[in-house]
């Protein structure tokens, strides 16, 4: 079993070297696909220096968004299982085995790493941001008839075959609701596991804002009822 780790990168020069080190330290056969979304802070130049057998680096010539970076990465997957990894150190690669276990056991096709279904450590940050996440998950559950606790989580791990059965369209943070609605409609077996979370605040580079949250509602409705 080979794991493909897809890492979208946009202006993460402060953390990119460390996240690669942490992913590499996980004792699972893996390939790492990094997609730079036209960074301007030196991330792009750093990635050009990498020459490691199990790392592939792809570049966008203009900034398109996280979803677009994921689409580019998905096109080059050769592993059996795929996991999405942000480059900002909010999520811990040491927890890959937690997400992988239900898939290896033959119980799950997709596993979400929940920041709320957990007894693990979690940085205490914004009340309204966390409430917004829970509200969007609530709306997602109403529309999909799932009972997720964290639809917006970065950690989504799934069998690579799913990519052959699904076309992702959204180029920004709309990827999360689009993916969730589509796997629900196809009735894939979905599990959640609790994960730790080391969130950043906006001064540390957090990028998602309230406008992205508002857009999620439209994407949920679009992919549930109109696509």
């Amino acid at each position: 079993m080979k794991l493909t780790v897809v890492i979208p990168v946009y202006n993460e020069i402060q953390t990119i070297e460390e996240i690669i080190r942490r992913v590499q330290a996980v004792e699972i056969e893996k390939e790492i696909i990094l997609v730079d979304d036209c960074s301007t802070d030196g991330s792009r130049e750093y990635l050009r220096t990498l020459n490691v057998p199990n790392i592939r680096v792809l570049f966008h010539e203009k900034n398109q968004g996280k979803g677009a970076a994921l689409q580019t990465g998905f096109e080059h997957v050769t592993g059996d299982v795929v996991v999405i990894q942000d480059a900002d150190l909010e999520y811990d690669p040491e927890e890959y085995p937690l997400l992988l276990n239900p898939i290896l056991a033959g119980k799950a096709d997709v596993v979400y790493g929940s920041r709320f279904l957990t007894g693990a450590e979690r940085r205490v940050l914004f009340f309204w941001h966390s409430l917004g996440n829970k509200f969007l998950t609530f709306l997602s559950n109403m529309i999909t008839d799932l009972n997720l606790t964290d639809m917006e989580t970065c950690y989504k791990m799934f069998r690579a075959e799913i990519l052959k059965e699904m076309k992702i369209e959204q180029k920004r943070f709309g990827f999360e609701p689009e993916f969730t609605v589509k796997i629900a409609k196809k009735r894939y077996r979905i599990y959640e596991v609790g994960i730790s979370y080391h969130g950043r605040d906006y001064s540390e580079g957090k990028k998602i804002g309230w406008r992205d949250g508002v857009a999620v509602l439209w994407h949920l409705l679009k992919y549930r009822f109109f696509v």
Side-chain angles (χ1 to χ4, degrees):
M1 193 287 299
K2 182 168 76 172
L3 178 67
T4 298
V5 183
V6 180
I7 308 178
V9 179
Y10 179 63
N11 288 350
E12 300 289 359
I13 191 60
Q14 300 299 321
T15 59
I16 187 63
E17 185 174 3
E18 176 63 13
I19 195 61
I20 293 172
R21 185 195 69 78
R22 293 186 187 184
V23 172
Q24 290 284 44
V26 179
E27 295 184 355
I28 297 173
E29 182 186 359
K30 72 184 81 66
E31 65 175 352
I32 303 172
I33 300 176
L34 296 123
V35 184
D36 181 82
D37 195 32
C38 202
S39 295
T40 59
D41 69 339
S43 300
R44 198 172 182 85
E45 291 71 23
Y46 169 75
L47 291 173
R48 291 192 189 281
T49 70
L50 296 179
N51 184 20
V52 182
N54 71 330
I55 292 180
R56 182 166 190 174
V57 183
L58 306 166
F59 297 95
H60 284 174
E61 295 308 314
K62 64 178 181 179
N63 180 256
Q64 300 178 56
K66 179 180 178 178
L70 291 174
Q71 291 172 40
T72 298
F74 292 161
E75 291 172 0
H76 296 86
V77 166
T78 65
D80 305 294
V81 176
V82 180
V83 67
I84 299 166
Q85 172 72 59
D86 283 349
D88 55 14
L89 305 183
E90 290 190 335
Y91 295 81
D92 187 353
E94 286 188 359
E95 295 176 326
Y96 289 168
L98 294 176
L99 289 99
L100 191 56
N101 284 339
I103 296 176
L104 292 182
K107 297 185 292 187
D109 302 305
V110 182
V111 180
Y112 280 44
S114 173
R115 295 165 290 180
F116 306 116
L117 183 71
T118 182
E121 64 183 23
R122 179 167 61 91
R123 183 179 177 184
V124 175
L125 277 172
F126 308 111
F127 168 75
W128 290 111
H129 193 274
S130 64
L131 187 64
N133 278 336
K134 291 177 181 178
F135 180 64
L136 292 174
T137 297
F138 173 75
L139 292 176
S140 173
N141 287 342
M142 288 181 63
I143 288 170
T144 60
D145 196 27
L146 298 175
N147 62 343
L148 292 168
T149 65
D150 193 2
M151 182 271 291
E152 288 281 308
T153 182
C154 159
Y155 267 179
K156 294 176 172 66
M157 183 179 285
F158 50 90
R159 293 187 300 103
E161 288 89 346
I162 288 175
L163 294 176
K164 300 175 184 177
E165 304 168 5
M166 178 187 301
K167 178 176 174 58
I168 298 298
E169 300 176 344
Q170 291 304 311
K171 296 187 178 299
R172 286 183 53 78
F173 294 103
F175 165 78
E176 316 293 356
E178 178 186 3
F179 182 80
T180 301
V181 172
K182 287 183 173 179
I183 61 172
K185 289 173 74 172
K186 287 185 174 291
R187 302 187 67 82
Y188 290 119
R189 298 169 300 168
I190 305 166
Y191 272 61
E192 279 189 312
V193 298
I195 59 168
S196 61
Y197 181 61
H198 311 276
R200 297 193 296 182
D201 63 27
Y202 291 97
S203 68
E204 296 169 308
K206 194 172 189 69
K207 299 178 179 66
I208 191 167
W210 67 268
R211 290 181 180 85
D212 296 296
V214 171
V216 166
L217 177 57
W218 162 240
H219 297 317
L220 288 169
L221 294 171
K222 173 182 176 179
Y223 290 106
R224 175 62 181 88
F225 297 111
F226 305 113
V227 176

